[in-house]
Amino acid sequence: MFTIVGIGFFLAMCVSFGCLLLFSSGLLLECGGVTMNGVFVFDGLSFYTILLIVFLGGYSLICFFNMVGSGVLVFLCFSLLFSMLCFCTNHCILFWCFYELGMLPLVYLIFKDSPYSERYLAGWYFCSYLLVTSLPLVLILIYLSVVQGSFLFSEWTTDDTISGFIYIVLSFVFFTKVPLVPFHTWLPIVHAEATSIVSIYLSGYIMKLGLLGVYRSCWTVFEDGIWFYLFICLLSCIYFFFAAINELDGKRWLAFLSLSHIIVPFLGFFACDSENIMFTFLFCLGHGLGAGIVFSLLWWLYESCNSRNWILVKSSVNNNMAIMLVVSFSLLTLCSFPITINFVCEVSLVKASSFSLLCAYFWAVYLFFGGLIPLVLCGHLLIRCEFVDNNYTGYYCWFAYLFYLCLWCYVGALYF
């Protein structure tokens, strides 16, 4: 039992509970956030996202320490550090710097560490989105800072002298990072060619950086406009579910599901007011944990059967009760199973968006397919197991990682 849990679990638990205690006691939260010299801010958004980085990044570095090279660990640590700073930054230029620095180490690892033949195509495809949008992003941020008279997001106000078109352009620049349709094409390609730990980080917290930028700089643009774009995104969400059904590659399957799930926080920007907007970022925490759980599960199954095809991956799951429970609990995190964080958030978001008939239709279809697809796959993996391998001594690191994340994904809903 100690081999599975280890001291890393208790250290991470102490850090997490310490942050929760400080946050709940008000030492780190006053009037919505504490600013330090106006440059950094700690609010509900940064609280949930920092926990996500601690869970995904901290646990992965502890559990997979012996499975990745020291050079890879350095780049992963840089990505975690800069992303954590980005989530807490209130200065728009520093935000842009940390934003780009949080993604560049992962881009480098796609080129250097990936064993797949198409990694260069995926890497350059990813780089093209980063490079094309980085310069317009910093130019727009500088322009808005000059017009607003401040480089701090917290001091920006909605002003009639600033065209709403500028905020819409800024929001679409961030949409390429999330990514939302029609800028989504890079995500399945990159996931298919990246290593599993890079995929965990990409879906875990990199996708949330775009939502962070929208919230910090131009959330008010959703109060009056671009409803037509929301409608397109809702339709594309359903399309991504059907695209996932046709995928035999597990990583591409999960990438399409992530594209569907990330629409929910975007819908929250339209449906939620300032009092319950944090449910969208709590959903991001749940989504990041779920994506990390399933990517790590796929990593373990791929190492067992040396294949990424679902038909062959099935051979890695036998009648061992522990393995079947791990697979079941892991895939159920994608279904928004009751008592998971995502289940609580979706209930709150459904209530907040009850004013719109369009949103009601979307939730009906989303909840049906979002629960059905992972359940069908779970049933496929658990029935009629033909291949049996009783040697699991090398897989304690995956069991430990899955245990940590599943614990927070299911129990965290009661705590948060």
Side-chain angles (χ1 to χ4, degrees), residues 26-70:
L27 296 179
L28 292 177
L29 184 66
E30 294 179 5
C31 301
V34 171
T35 60
M36 296 181 293
N37 297 324
V39 176
F40 295 98
V41 60
F42 190 92
D43 55 4
L45 185 158
S46 56
F47 171 68
Y48 292 133
T49 50
I50 287 175
L51 282 182
L52 177 60
I53 289 179
V54 171
F55 294 153
L56 286 179
Y59 289 172
S60 64
L61 295 179
I62 294 172
C63 295
F64 305 128
F65 179 80
N66 294 323
M67 300 187 59
V68 296
S70 58

Side-chain angles (χ1 to χ4, degrees), residues 235-254:
L235 290 180
S236 67
C237 176
I238 309 305
Y239 163 76
F240 292 142
F241 279 131
F242 287 100
I245 295 175
N246 294 324
E247 290 292 338
L248 287 178
D249 189 321
K251 294 182 72 175
R252 287 180 58 88
W253 172 83
L254 185 52

Side-chain angles (χ1 to χ4, degrees), residues 163-327:
S163 173
F165 177 75
I166 299 297
Y167 287 107
I168 292 177
V169 173
L170 179 60
S171 64
F172 273 88
V173 172
F174 284 118
F175 292 160
T176 63
K177 317 283 188 178
V178 174
L180 297 177
V181 66
F183 315 106
H184 65 280
T185 53
W186 64 266
L187 189 68
I189 297 174
V190 171
H191 275 308
E193 304 304 321
T195 58
S196 294
I197 194 166
V198 172
S199 294
I200 291 173
Y201 285 20
L202 282 174
S203 276
Y205 64 87
I206 291 296
M207 293 178 69
K208 315 308 184 290
L209 290 175
L211 296 172
L212 167 73
V214 172
Y215 175 76
R216 293 287 191 215
S217 59
C218 52
W219 174 36
T220 55
V221 75
F222 300 107
E223 296 178 357
D224 301 318
I226 65 173
W227 281 92
F228 179 72
Y229 181 68
L230 173 64
F231 177 73
I232 295 176
C233 289
L234 297 183
L235 290 180
S236 67
C237 176
I238 309 305
Y239 163 76
F240 292 142
F241 279 131
F242 287 100
I245 295 175
N246 294 324
E247 290 292 338
L248 287 178
D249 189 321
K251 294 182 72 175
R252 287 180 58 88
W253 172 83
L254 185 52
F256 279 110
L257 282 188
S258 294
L259 289 173
S260 298
H261 295 156
I262 206 65
I263 303 295
V264 173
F266 179 60
L267 174 62
F269 287 149
F270 289 86
C272 297
D273 53 22
S274 58
E275 295 181 357
N276 52 14
I277 187 63
M278 286 304 152
F279 279 114
T280 62
F281 297 103
L282 183 58
F283 180 89
C284 290
L285 172 61
H287 173 264
L289 292 176
I293 288 170
V294 180
F295 270 120
S296 57
L297 174 68
L298 294 175
W299 188 3
W300 164 57
L301 295 176
Y302 295 161
E303 292 291 330
S304 303
C305 66
N306 296 315
S307 175
R308 292 168 42 166
N309 190 301
W310 278 122
I311 299 175
L312 299 179
V313 166
K314 177 182 171 63
S315 64
S316 299
V317 183
N318 58 35
N319 291 322
N320 183 283
M321 182 59 66
I323 304 299
M324 297 179 73
L325 287 176
V326 167
V327 172

